Amino acid sequence: MRVVTREGVVEFIRSHGGRLYVCADLMRCTGPKCTFFSSSLEPPAEHHAFRRFAGGGFDFYFSDEGLEAPTELRLELGGWRKRRISVYEGFSWVMADEPPEEPNGDR
């Protein structure tokens, strides 16, 4: 699994113990199935079968709960008052590091 981080994420995880726990949760309703991800810097109270991935300066623990693991996850630092890590599947959320081009091509 490839993990892509935005600016500040790795430093935030390191400053809070160096571990990130992510759980996948399949939501079903009348429409298409959707997978949501919850994240925590502490192990969750309820039991999960985590797989450990090391690298990038922190330990990443992922529990897919029997679902097909994503090819790529993206991590972003969110929240203004209480900082948190937001997790997105690589293909369902588009991020742009550069501002959009102006209509006349100037930036």
Side-chain angles (χ1 to χ4, degrees), residues 58-81:
F58 65 97
D59 291 331
F60 181 78
Y61 295 87
F62 183 74
S63 174
D64 58 19
E65 300 300 318
L67 304 172
E68 183 178 335
T71 305
E72 177 180 282
L73 285 179
R74 294 182 178 255
L75 309 179
E76 180 174 285
L77 190 57
W80 292 104
R81 292 183 184 173

Side-chain angles (χ1 to χ4, degrees), residues 4 10 15 27-29 35 44-45 51-52 85 92 98 103 107:
V4 179
V10 174
S15 69
M27 301 297 231
R28 291 189 174 121
C29 59
T35 304
R51 288 184 287 161
R52 180 178 173 264
I85 304 292
S92 61
E98 298 180 20
R107 288 191 167 194

Side-chain angles (χ1 to χ4, degrees), residues 77-106:
L77 190 57
W80 292 104
R81 292 183 184 173
K82 184 176 181 183
R83 301 301 267 169
R84 67 184 184 287
I85 304 292
S86 296
V87 181
Y88 303 90
E89 194 166 354
F91 298 107
S92 61
W93 190 65
V94 178
M95 298 187 310
D97 290 330
E98 298 180 20
E101 290 187 27
E102 297 294 322
N104 63 4
D106 295 333

